[in-house]
Amino acid sequence: ESCSSSSVHVRLQQSVRNVLKPFVRDKHYLQPFQLSPETLQEVSARLRKDLLRGLGKHSHHKAPVKMLPTFVRATPDGTEKGDFLALDLGGTNFRVLHVRVEEEAQKVLKMDSQICAIPQEMMLGTGEQLFDHIATCLGDFLESHNLKCQTLPLGFTFSFPCEQLEIDKSILIRWTKGFNCSGVEGKDVVQLLKEAIQRTGDYHIGSVAMVNDTVGTMMSCGYKDQSCEIGMIIGTGTNACYMEEIKNVKRIEGEDGRMCINTEWGGFGDDGSLDDILTEFDVEVDKTSINPGVHIFEKMISGMYLGEIVRLVLVKMTKDKLLFKGQISEALGTSGRFETKFISEIEDGLENAKKILTELGLDWGLVDASVVCLVCDTISSRSAYLCAAALATLVNRIRNNRKLDHLKTTVGVDGTVYRKHPTFSSKLQKAVRLLAPQCDITFLVSEDGSGKGAAMVTAVAQRLAHQSRLLEEKTVYILTPYLQKH
């Protein structure tokens, strides 16, 4: 039975209402999580200012929202075709994929893939060891699928903080996620990969395109729907990218065309601009995190933190004798034990709530279970509405950039919170329609952004390079008779 079901016994409903009154209205409990449409408009306006700071040549270095150029200069146009490799490195495993783009069928097909483990000692060894291991595994994959005789272009999703200087040049700023390989920070990871492949000496790869996972999300949807110009991830973390006019990207030379910008919007609020909407629970989550003061917006929204916010609210209510007869179980009292997936499960039905509360060692009644449902709903709803406010900023910016009265666009989306939560996507979509009424937005769930999407980035880069070569050849052809005369 759903948390919002009206079939719950009338007396139970009355009991729940009586229990809810103090903390729905009280500023110490759920009321601070409930953001009005006016507050969401204000959040959207603040992000708009931060986007401009991030795009500025002189304001960029102090901007909390970094607005990183990706050097992806176009989305798919449906003419891309061919075979590509994709390499996805972002954790203790990495994936190698063979992807085929079929123009006639307008499909991106995953032909084969392989997962390779990275041993713990290699994560802490030398960079040369790591990249040699990747090159060997890539070679084994090519061998086993009879691809070694071909020279295929490669899309490289490398999910660590990097400064991208070109589509095929990306400098590692710092290792995260338990990696600490020496000799890589400050170096171009594409060059390190190419050198490792050269050391194997028995195969070659074509051009390499570096891909951020958010960009991959956008591009994996862009072949199916060519109006897809925004990528958004709401999972363990949150981020978005969109197509910006190059003339507005002040750190890049050029006036014509567009470039995909990786917003890194998780850092929104790092300068204190969201302090007025932070609750005491958000402050506590930030304070006890591994990176206090960093990625404030992400900590209010993403899967890594939502469960902990709910846990802190439940602990406070229990201490105040509003839940579980005032008894905090060991599990509820332990940081990280209330997982974000519990929120999705609890909001999917009261029976799930009962099961999870039992597993957490709590002495619950029906009123307790209903209150926990409400707490989960309040906190996941705030996440959806804040995401909607941020997305509204991006679609409104694209519309204004293009001087359109009305924008029709598509957003490619990925992430477990968006995919798995029963009402998150519908709440986000409804809210963004209210906040960006002049934009007609279609949402497409991405299929393998870091694999197929990475291959698609490479395919588009190859198409643009080919078009550029044709243009140069045409120019030479036209100018040659003139030059010979003179």
Side-chain angles (χ1 to χ4, degrees), residues 75 214-222 225-233 239-244 260-261 263 265 390-399 402 407-414 432 439 441-444 446:
T75 51
T214 317
V215 181
T217 296
M218 178 185 80
M219 296 296 264
S220 68
C221 295
D225 181 342
Q226 280 135 44
S227 59
C228 183
E229 294 188 283
I230 297 173
M232 179 171 70
I233 291 179
N239 193 14
C241 66
Y242 73 104
M243 296 303 290
E244 177 61 83
C260 182
I261 296 295
T263 65
W265 77 13
L391 182 58
T393 309
L394 297 189
V395 293
N396 282 326
R397 176 157 183 83
I398 292 173
R399 185 180 66 79
R402 297 178 194 176
L407 173 73
K408 187 171 169 52
T409 193
T410 297
V411 180
V413 201
D414 205 355
V432 86
C439 300
I441 307 162
T442 302
F443 289 81
L444 261 186
S446 164

Side-chain angles (χ1 to χ4, degrees), residues 43 59 391 467:
V43 168
S59 53
L391 182 58
Q467 286 169 348

Side-chain angles (χ1 to χ4, degrees), residues 25 74 117 122 196 215 227 262 300 328-329 332 338 343 359 415 461 481:
R25 291 183 187 154
M122 202 171 275
V215 181
S227 59
N262 165 20
M300 300 169 82
I328 298 169
S329 67
L332 186 64
F338 195 100
I343 298 175
E359 285 171 4

Side-chain angles (χ1 to χ4, degrees), residues 86 98 236 282 383 404 440 464:
H98 170 210
T236 308
D282 295 311
S383 170
L404 298 171
D440 178 9
L464 294 179

